[in-house]
Amino acid sequence: MTNKEAADQLIWNLRLDFDPVGIRFVKDDADREKLPVTHRAKARITYCQFLAAARQGGHALFMEPEKCVCGNAQPVFGFRELDKEGDTKRHMKYLCDEELAWQAPQEKARFEVGLVKGIYIAPLAKFDETDLQPDLVFMMVVPYQAYHIFNDYMGGNKRANLQFFHTPNSAVCAGSVYAYKNNTANMTTMCAGSKTSGKTEMAYVNVFLPYEQFQKTVEQQKWRVETMGGPSVLGKGGQQWPGLDACKGCPLFKFEEVK
């Protein structure tokens, strides 16, 4: 299945509002030349804004360290060392405790300083134009869509349960790095930055899947649809999305086909 086919399947079956986005952490300068870029940011912006441009504008972008304006994302991606005074101050409004506010940025998922040369961010289908695949697939979805995604993720990857990693901010940047470093699915709510800069509106959550596990997730969904007749897991399952939203076993909700 191509990346475009995988994205189209999810968009149709789950009625996604936004395109799935591929994220590749570029550690080798030679890889950068292989990645198709359609747009560049004219000013320093946030990681969340790069992702918004990819999922909503269809832009394929490369975020150099110097283009990342977000002070919380910079140490997460290893673009700078942690600064005790500055990073403590950034977390005080959330935690209101100086010791805890310094502990929080230290415990986020982070790359070593200088490891990542930049981050390629593009609609998932764009990766069909290169032999390099994303490290992660990012989706902004409503919780009901996330529920279906994670059911297929667990079925396709043989996982009976999942745990997610939440931090006081850095929902999208640290959320990405956590999924990558731990090779597991992750989900976060919006944070202050992803709500405003990243446009994670209040009904949405952020979902991150390692690429190979994403492929197994999509294959599982494809198999379920072909076997059961539809993607919905409501009731008996197999309904076309979103399926019949009725109480399980309710005797009033019985239908028969009119001949």
Side-chain angles (χ1 to χ4, degrees):
M1 188 183 301
T2 67
N3 288 308
K4 184 179 187 307
E5 290 169 341
D8 287 348
Q9 175 182 302
L10 284 172
I11 290 167
W12 171 251
N13 284 332
L14 301 183
R15 305 302 196 264
L16 298 184
D17 295 319
F18 308 108
D19 288 355
V21 172
I23 299 168
R24 185 176 177 92
F25 300 112
V26 178
K27 302 172 185 176
D28 187 338
D29 289 330
D31 286 350
R32 180 177 178 178
E33 304 304 317
K34 301 178 183 179
L35 296 165
V37 173
T38 63
H39 294 75
R40 66 174 180 269
K42 296 174 70 175
R44 297 175 72 226
I45 59 175
T46 70
Y47 177 62
C48 293
Q49 289 167 334
F50 275 96
L51 286 170
R55 74 171 186 270
Q56 292 181 273
H59 297 350
L61 304 145
F62 186 80
M63 186 180 80
E64 300 96 338
E66 60 270 18
K67 283 289 188 178
C68 179
V69 74
C70 179
N72 291 306
Q74 290 163 356
V76 163
F77 294 133
F79 294 164
R80 67 167 175 84
E81 298 280 3
L82 285 172
D83 169 61
K84 184 173 183 179
E85 181 179 354
D87 288 309
T88 298
K89 184 177 180 180
R90 287 185 180 90
H91 291 76
M92 278 296 290
K93 71 173 181 177
Y94 306 107
L95 302 174
C96 305
D97 178 291
E98 190 169 334
E99 183 177 347
L100 197 60
W102 172 227
Q103 182 181 349
Q106 295 180 85
E107 293 187 359
K108 292 178 188 178
R110 291 182 287 134
F111 287 123
E112 296 175 11
V113 173
L115 177 66
V116 173
K117 311 301 182 185
I119 304 173
Y120 180 69
I121 298 163
L124 184 61
K126 198 69 179 173
F127 283 85
D128 289 331
E129 299 178 18
T130 177
D131 61 351
L132 298 176
Q133 298 296 359
D135 294 314
L136 297 174
V137 175
F138 166 73
M139 289 173 280
M140 183 178 289
V141 298
V142 297
Y144 191 39
Q145 293 164 332
Y147 171 66
H148 282 75
I149 290 168
F150 286 127
N151 274 298
D152 283 324
Y153 174 89
M154 289 187 286
N157 291 279
K158 308 308 177 189
R159 299 276 299 275
N161 57 74
L162 297 172
Q163 294 181 325
F164 305 126
F165 189 72
H166 181 85
T167 54
N169 61 21
S170 303
V172 182
C173 53
S176 298
V177 177
Y178 179 85
Y180 174 78
K181 292 188 72 172
N182 292 277
N183 194 35
T184 188
N186 196 23
M187 179 177 67
T188 65
T189 67
M190 64 185 182
C191 67
S194 69
K195 168 66 176 75
T196 53
S197 299
K199 304 305 177 189
T200 317
E201 302 298 345
M202 288 184 286
Y204 293 113
V205 292
N206 301 294
V207 169
F208 315 86
L209 303 183
Y211 179 70
E212 290 186 5
Q213 297 170 16
F214 166 80
Q215 288 287 348
K216 292 179 181 179
T217 301
V218 177
E219 291 293 345
Q220 173 80 2
Q221 186 193 80
K222 184 174 185 290
W223 175 82
R224 274 201 317 105
V225 171
E226 292 172 350
T227 303
M228 301 177 66
S232 178
V233 296
L234 287 178
K236 295 180 180 179
Q239 296 286 338
Q240 293 299 312
W241 184 263
L244 182 62
D245 189 0
C247 298
K248 184 176 182 179
C250 178
L252 299 179
F253 289 92
K254 304 294 182 183
F255 299 91
E256 61 183 4
E257 187 177 355
V258 177
K259 303 294 186 181

PDB file of all heavy atoms in Angstrom, residues 130-154:
ATOM      1  N   THR A 130       9.820   9.852  -2.778  1.00  0.00           N
ATOM      2  CA  THR A 130      11.202   9.619  -2.355  1.00  0.00           C
ATOM      3  C   THR A 130      11.335   8.217  -1.803  1.00  0.00           C
ATOM      4  O   THR A 130      10.330   7.582  -1.456  1.00  0.00           O
ATOM      5  CB  THR A 130      11.625  10.646  -1.277  1.00  0.00           C
ATOM      6  OG1 THR A 130      12.940  10.356  -0.826  1.00  0.00           O
ATOM      7  CG2 THR A 130      10.674  10.624  -0.097  1.00  0.00           C
ATOM      8  N   ASP A 131      12.570   7.719  -1.728  1.00  0.00           N
ATOM      9  CA  ASP A 131      12.775   6.393  -1.161  1.00  0.00           C
ATOM     10  C   ASP A 131      12.936   6.442   0.355  1.00  0.00           C
ATOM     11  O   ASP A 131      13.156   5.410   0.989  1.00  0.00           O
ATOM     12  CB  ASP A 131      13.986   5.715  -1.795  1.00  0.00           C
ATOM     13  CG  ASP A 131      15.290   6.478  -1.571  1.00  0.00           C
ATOM     14  OD1 ASP A 131      15.236   7.627  -1.062  1.00  0.00           O
ATOM     15  OD2 ASP A 131      16.364   5.946  -1.904  1.00  0.00           O
ATOM     16  N   LEU A 132      12.812   7.626   0.949  1.00  0.00           N
ATOM     17  CA  LEU A 132      12.881   7.772   2.402  1.00  0.00           C
ATOM     18  C   LEU A 132      11.471   7.808   2.986  1.00  0.00           C
ATOM     19  O   LEU A 132      10.595   8.500   2.459  1.00  0.00           O
ATOM     20  CB  LEU A 132      13.633   9.055   2.772  1.00  0.00           C
ATOM     21  CG  LEU A 132      15.090   9.139   2.331  1.00  0.00           C
ATOM     22  CD1 LEU A 132      15.668  10.496   2.684  1.00  0.00           C
ATOM     23  CD2 LEU A 132      15.920   8.026   2.954  1.00  0.00           C
ATOM     24  N   GLN A 133      11.255   7.080   4.042  1.00  0.00           N
ATOM     25  CA  GLN A 133       9.945   7.036   4.673  1.00  0.00           C
ATOM     26  C   GLN A 133       9.955   7.889   5.947  1.00  0.00           C
ATOM     27  O   GLN A 133      11.019   8.165   6.509  1.00  0.00           O
ATOM     28  CB  GLN A 133       9.563   5.589   5.021  1.00  0.00           C
ATOM     29  CG  GLN A 133       9.458   4.675   3.820  1.00  0.00           C
ATOM     30  CD  GLN A 133       8.342   5.067   2.863  1.00  0.00           C
ATOM     31  OE1 GLN A 133       7.599   6.026   3.082  1.00  0.00           O
ATOM     32  NE2 GLN A 133       8.222   4.326   1.770  1.00  0.00           N
ATOM     33  N   PRO A 134       8.784   8.302   6.417  1.00  0.00           N
ATOM     34  CA  PRO A 134       8.744   9.071   7.669  1.00  0.00           C
ATOM     35  C   PRO A 134       9.111   8.206   8.864  1.00  0.00           C
ATOM     36  O   PRO A 134       8.996   6.977   8.820  1.00  0.00           O
ATOM     37  CB  PRO A 134       7.280   9.531   7.743  1.00  0.00           C
ATOM     38  CG  PRO A 134       6.522   8.564   6.914  1.00  0.00           C
ATOM     39  CD  PRO A 134       7.451   8.121   5.820  1.00  0.00           C
ATOM     40  N   ASP A 135       9.561   8.863   9.903  1.00  0.00           N
ATOM     41  CA  ASP A 135       9.758   8.168  11.178  1.00  0.00           C
ATOM     42  C   ASP A 135       8.429   8.001  11.904  1.00  0.00           C
ATOM     43  O   ASP A 135       8.203   6.992  12.577  1.00  0.00           O
ATOM     44  CB  ASP A 135      10.723   8.957  12.068  1.00  0.00           C
ATOM     45  CG  ASP A 135      12.129   9.006  11.505  1.00  0.00           C
ATOM     46  OD1 ASP A 135      12.635   7.949  11.073  1.00  0.00           O
ATOM     47  OD2 ASP A 135      12.724  10.097  11.471  1.00  0.00           O
ATOM     48  N   LEU A 136       7.576   9.021  11.769  1.00  0.00           N
ATOM     49  CA  LEU A 136       6.286   9.038  12.448  1.00  0.00           C
ATOM     50  C   LEU A 136       5.194   9.483  11.501  1.00  0.00           C
ATOM     51  O   LEU A 136       5.456  10.217  10.541  1.00  0.00           O
ATOM     52  CB  LEU A 136       6.304  10.026  13.625  1.00  0.00           C
ATOM     53  CG  LEU A 136       7.242   9.811  14.795  1.00  0.00           C
ATOM     54  CD1 LEU A 136       7.152  11.006  15.737  1.00  0.00           C
ATOM     55  CD2 LEU A 136       6.888   8.526  15.550  1.00  0.00           C
ATOM     56  N   VAL A 137       3.985   9.075  11.813  1.00  0.00           N
ATOM     57  CA  VAL A 137       2.795   9.645  11.176  1.00  0.00           C
ATOM     58  C   VAL A 137       2.018  10.382  12.261  1.00  0.00           C
ATOM     59  O   VAL A 137       1.753   9.830  13.338  1.00  0.00           O
ATOM     60  CB  VAL A 137       1.929   8.571  10.520  1.00  0.00           C
ATOM     61  CG1 VAL A 137       0.640   9.186   9.963  1.00  0.00           C
ATOM     62  CG2 VAL A 137       2.706   7.873   9.404  1.00  0.00           C
ATOM     63  N   PHE A 138       1.699  11.640  11.967  1.00  0.00           N
ATOM     64  CA  PHE A 138       0.982  12.500  12.912  1.00  0.00           C
ATOM     65  C   PHE A 138      -0.424  12.756  12.377  1.00  0.00           C
ATOM     66  O   PHE A 138      -0.604  13.061  11.195  1.00  0.00           O
ATOM     67  CB  PHE A 138       1.717  13.825  13.075  1.00  0.00           C
ATOM     68  CG  PHE A 138       0.918  14.903  13.752  1.00  0.00           C
ATOM     69  CD1 PHE A 138       0.667  14.848  15.110  1.00  0.00           C
ATOM     70  CD2 PHE A 138       0.415  15.975  13.025  1.00  0.00           C
ATOM     71  CE1 PHE A 138      -0.077  15.846  15.733  1.00  0.00           C
ATOM     72  CE2 PHE A 138      -0.319  16.974  13.639  1.00  0.00           C
ATOM     73  CZ  PHE A 138      -0.569  16.908  14.995  1.00  0.00           C
ATOM     74  N   MET A 139      -1.410  12.628  13.265  1.00  0.00           N
ATOM     75  CA  MET A 139      -2.789  12.933  12.896  1.00  0.00           C
ATOM     76  C   MET A 139      -3.445  13.760  13.986  1.00  0.00           C
ATOM     77  O   MET A 139      -3.269  13.468  15.178  1.00  0.00           O
ATOM     78  CB  MET A 139      -3.582  11.641  12.678  1.00  0.00           C
ATOM     79  CG  MET A 139      -3.196  10.883  11.423  1.00  0.00           C
ATOM     80  SD  MET A 139      -3.999   9.257  11.292  1.00  0.00           S
ATOM     81  CE  MET A 139      -2.950   8.286  12.380  1.00  0.00           C
ATOM     82  N   MET A 140      -4.183  14.768  13.583  1.00  0.00           N
ATOM     83  CA  MET A 140      -5.009  15.526  14.511  1.00  0.00           C
ATOM     84  C   MET A 140      -6.449  15.079  14.297  1.00  0.00           C
ATOM     85  O   MET A 140      -6.995  15.229  13.203  1.00  0.00           O
ATOM     86  CB  MET A 140      -4.869  17.033  14.283  1.00  0.00           C
ATOM     87  CG  MET A 140      -5.659  17.848  15.294  1.00  0.00           C
ATOM     88  SD  MET A 140      -5.454  19.619  15.071  1.00  0.00           S
ATOM     89  CE  MET A 140      -3.763  19.806  15.632  1.00  0.00           C
ATOM     90  N   VAL A 141      -7.039  14.506  15.339  1.00  0.00           N
ATOM     91  CA  VAL A 141      -8.335  13.853  15.203  1.00  0.00           C
ATOM     92  C   VAL A 141      -9.204  14.154  16.418  1.00  0.00           C
ATOM     93  O   VAL A 141      -8.723  14.619  17.454  1.00  0.00           O
ATOM     94  CB  VAL A 141      -8.156  12.319  15.070  1.00  0.00           C
ATOM     95  CG1 VAL A 141      -7.369  11.971  13.813  1.00  0.00           C
ATOM     96  CG2 VAL A 141      -7.469  11.732  16.296  1.00  0.00           C
ATOM     97  N   VAL A 142     -10.487  13.847  16.304  1.00  0.00           N
ATOM     98  CA  VAL A 142     -11.362  13.911  17.469  1.00  0.00           C
ATOM     99  C   VAL A 142     -11.210  12.602  18.236  1.00  0.00           C
ATOM    100  O   VAL A 142     -10.777  11.586  17.682  1.00  0.00           O
ATOM    101  CB  VAL A 142     -12.837  14.152  17.069  1.00  0.00           C
ATOM    102  CG1 VAL A 142     -12.979  15.496  16.371  1.00  0.00           C
ATOM    103  CG2 VAL A 142     -13.370  13.034  16.198  1.00  0.00           C
ATOM    104  N   PRO A 143     -11.541  12.581  19.531  1.00  0.00           N
ATOM    105  CA  PRO A 143     -11.330  11.367  20.325  1.00  0.00           C
ATOM    106  C   PRO A 143     -11.997  10.126  19.744  1.00  0.00           C
ATOM    107  O   PRO A 143     -11.449   9.019  19.856  1.00  0.00           O
ATOM    108  CB  PRO A 143     -11.925  11.740  21.689  1.00  0.00           C
ATOM    109  CG  PRO A 143     -11.724  13.222  21.785  1.00  0.00           C
ATOM    110  CD  PRO A 143     -11.953  13.723  20.390  1.00  0.00           C
ATOM    111  N   TYR A 144     -13.152  10.285  19.115  1.00  0.00           N
ATOM    112  CA  TYR A 144     -13.858   9.127  18.550  1.00  0.00           C
ATOM    113  C   TYR A 144     -13.067   8.511  17.403  1.00  0.00           C
ATOM    114  O   TYR A 144     -13.016   7.294  17.240  1.00  0.00           O
ATOM    115  CB  TYR A 144     -15.233   9.591  18.083  1.00  0.00           C
ATOM    116  CG  TYR A 144     -16.180   8.484  17.721  1.00  0.00           C
ATOM    117  CD1 TYR A 144     -16.218   7.309  18.471  1.00  0.00           C
ATOM    118  CD2 TYR A 144     -17.052   8.621  16.649  1.00  0.00           C
ATOM    119  CE1 TYR A 144     -17.107   6.302  18.149  1.00  0.00           C
ATOM    120  CE2 TYR A 144     -17.938   7.618  16.325  1.00  0.00           C
ATOM    121  CZ  TYR A 144     -17.961   6.452  17.074  1.00  0.00           C
ATOM    122  OH  TYR A 144     -18.831   5.455  16.759  1.00  0.00           O
ATOM    123  N   GLN A 145     -12.418   9.359  16.593  1.00  0.00           N
ATOM    124  CA  GLN A 145     -11.560   8.844  15.533  1.00  0.00           C
ATOM    125  C   GLN A 145     -10.313   8.192  16.127  1.00  0.00           C
ATOM    126  O   GLN A 145      -9.868   7.138  15.656  1.00  0.00           O
ATOM    127  CB  GLN A 145     -11.178   9.980  14.580  1.00  0.00           C
ATOM    128  CG  GLN A 145     -12.355  10.529  13.779  1.00  0.00           C
ATOM    129  CD  GLN A 145     -12.062  11.880  13.146  1.00  0.00           C
ATOM    130  OE1 GLN A 145     -11.246  12.659  13.650  1.00  0.00           O
ATOM    131  NE2 GLN A 145     -12.741  12.179  12.051  1.00  0.00           N
ATOM    132  N   ALA A 146      -9.753   8.808  17.171  1.00  0.00           N
ATOM    133  CA  ALA A 146      -8.591   8.227  17.833  1.00  0.00           C
ATOM    134  C   ALA A 146      -8.911   6.846  18.395  1.00  0.00           C
ATOM    135  O   ALA A 146      -8.081   5.928  18.341  1.00  0.00           O
ATOM    136  CB  ALA A 146      -8.115   9.149  18.959  1.00  0.00           C
ATOM    137  N   TYR A 147     -10.122   6.680  18.900  1.00  0.00           N
ATOM    138  CA  TYR A 147     -10.557   5.394  19.438  1.00  0.00           C
ATOM    139  C   TYR A 147     -10.463   4.310  18.376  1.00  0.00           C
ATOM    140  O   TYR A 147      -9.946   3.218  18.618  1.00  0.00           O
ATOM    141  CB  TYR A 147     -11.989   5.544  19.945  1.00  0.00           C
ATOM    142  CG  TYR A 147     -12.675   4.264  20.350  1.00  0.00           C
ATOM    143  CD1 TYR A 147     -12.230   3.521  21.442  1.00  0.00           C
ATOM    144  CD2 TYR A 147     -13.787   3.806  19.648  1.00  0.00           C
ATOM    145  CE1 TYR A 147     -12.884   2.350  21.822  1.00  0.00           C
ATOM    146  CE2 TYR A 147     -14.443   2.639  20.013  1.00  0.00           C
ATOM    147  CZ  TYR A 147     -13.986   1.923  21.104  1.00  0.00           C
ATOM    148  OH  TYR A 147     -14.618   0.765  21.478  1.00  0.00           O
ATOM    149  N   HIS A 148     -10.942   4.600  17.181  1.00  0.00           N
ATOM    150  CA  HIS A 148     -10.875   3.625  16.099  1.00  0.00           C
ATOM    151  C   HIS A 148      -9.430   3.382  15.648  1.00  0.00           C
ATOM    152  O   HIS A 148      -9.036   2.249  15.364  1.00  0.00           O
ATOM    153  CB  HIS A 148     -11.733   4.087  14.924  1.00  0.00           C
ATOM    154  CG  HIS A 148     -13.198   3.847  15.126  1.00  0.00           C
ATOM    155  ND1 HIS A 148     -13.961   4.617  15.966  1.00  0.00           N
ATOM    156  CD2 HIS A 148     -14.023   2.908  14.604  1.00  0.00           C
ATOM    157  CE1 HIS A 148     -15.212   4.160  15.948  1.00  0.00           C
ATOM    158  NE2 HIS A 148     -15.273   3.122  15.128  1.00  0.00           N
ATOM    159  N   ILE A 149      -8.654   4.452  15.552  1.00  0.00           N
ATOM    160  CA  ILE A 149      -7.252   4.309  15.148  1.00  0.00           C
ATOM    161  C   ILE A 149      -6.513   3.392  16.113  1.00  0.00           C
ATOM    162  O   ILE A 149      -5.784   2.471  15.702  1.00  0.00           O
ATOM    163  CB  ILE A 149      -6.566   5.684  15.079  1.00  0.00           C
ATOM    164  CG1 ILE A 149      -7.112   6.498  13.900  1.00  0.00           C
ATOM    165  CG2 ILE A 149      -5.044   5.525  14.957  1.00  0.00           C
ATOM    166  CD1 ILE A 149      -6.714   7.962  13.924  1.00  0.00           C
ATOM    167  N   PHE A 150      -6.711   3.596  17.414  1.00  0.00           N
ATOM    168  CA  PHE A 150      -5.964   2.818  18.397  1.00  0.00           C
ATOM    169  C   PHE A 150      -6.462   1.382  18.492  1.00  0.00           C
ATOM    170  O   PHE A 150      -5.692   0.472  18.821  1.00  0.00           O
ATOM    171  CB  PHE A 150      -5.982   3.504  19.756  1.00  0.00           C
ATOM    172  CG  PHE A 150      -5.099   4.717  19.809  1.00  0.00           C
ATOM    173  CD1 PHE A 150      -5.594   5.941  20.226  1.00  0.00           C
ATOM    174  CD2 PHE A 150      -3.772   4.652  19.422  1.00  0.00           C
ATOM    175  CE1 PHE A 150      -4.781   7.067  20.264  1.00  0.00           C
ATOM    176  CE2 PHE A 150      -2.945   5.766  19.450  1.00  0.00           C
ATOM    177  CZ  PHE A 150      -3.454   6.977  19.869  1.00  0.00           C
ATOM    178  N   ASN A 151      -7.739   1.142  18.219  1.00  0.00           N
ATOM    179  CA  ASN A 151      -8.208  -0.241  18.152  1.00  0.00           C
ATOM    180  C   ASN A 151      -7.517  -0.985  17.024  1.00  0.00           C
ATOM    181  O   ASN A 151      -7.060  -2.124  17.197  1.00  0.00           O
ATOM    182  CB  ASN A 151      -9.729  -0.278  17.968  1.00  0.00           C
ATOM    183  CG  ASN A 151     -10.475  -0.206  19.287  1.00  0.00           C
ATOM    184  OD1 ASN A 151     -10.343  -1.080  20.136  1.00  0.00           O
ATOM    185  ND2 ASN A 151     -11.250   0.839  19.473  1.00  0.00           N
ATOM    186  N   ASP A 152      -7.426  -0.363  15.856  1.00  0.00           N
ATOM    187  CA  ASP A 152      -6.740  -1.008  14.738  1.00  0.00           C
ATOM    188  C   ASP A 152      -5.240  -1.083  14.982  1.00  0.00           C
ATOM    189  O   ASP A 152      -4.582  -2.031  14.546  1.00  0.00           O
ATOM    190  CB  ASP A 152      -7.037  -0.267  13.431  1.00  0.00           C
ATOM    191  CG  ASP A 152      -8.426  -0.576  12.889  1.00  0.00           C
ATOM    192  OD1 ASP A 152      -8.863  -1.734  13.046  1.00  0.00           O
ATOM    193  OD2 ASP A 152      -9.065   0.315  12.326  1.00  0.00           O
ATOM    194  N   TYR A 153      -4.692  -0.084  15.673  1.00  0.00           N
ATOM    195  CA  TYR A 153      -3.271  -0.134  16.035  1.00  0.00           C
ATOM    196  C   TYR A 153      -2.992  -1.344  16.924  1.00  0.00           C
ATOM    197  O   TYR A 153      -2.035  -2.097  16.694  1.00  0.00           O
ATOM    198  CB  TYR A 153      -2.885   1.159  16.761  1.00  0.00           C
ATOM    199  CG  TYR A 153      -1.468   1.148  17.301  1.00  0.00           C
ATOM    200  CD1 TYR A 153      -0.406   1.579  16.517  1.00  0.00           C
ATOM    201  CD2 TYR A 153      -1.195   0.692  18.585  1.00  0.00           C
ATOM    202  CE1 TYR A 153       0.903   1.557  17.007  1.00  0.00           C
ATOM    203  CE2 TYR A 153       0.095   0.672  19.089  1.00  0.00           C
ATOM    204  CZ  TYR A 153       1.138   1.106  18.295  1.00  0.00           C
ATOM    205  OH  TYR A 153       2.426   1.073  18.790  1.00  0.00           O
ATOM    206  N   MET A 154      -3.828  -1.543  17.932  1.00  0.00           N
ATOM    207  CA  MET A 154      -3.613  -2.655  18.851  1.00  0.00           C
ATOM    208  C   MET A 154      -3.807  -3.991  18.145  1.00  0.00           C
ATOM    209  O   MET A 154      -3.027  -4.929  18.345  1.00  0.00           O
ATOM    210  CB  MET A 154      -4.545  -2.532  20.059  1.00  0.00           C
ATOM    211  CG  MET A 154      -4.165  -1.386  20.992  1.00  0.00           C
ATOM    212  SD  MET A 154      -5.114  -1.326  22.533  1.00  0.00           S
ATOM    213  CE  MET A 154      -6.684  -0.731  21.919  1.00  0.00           C
TER     214      MET A 154
END
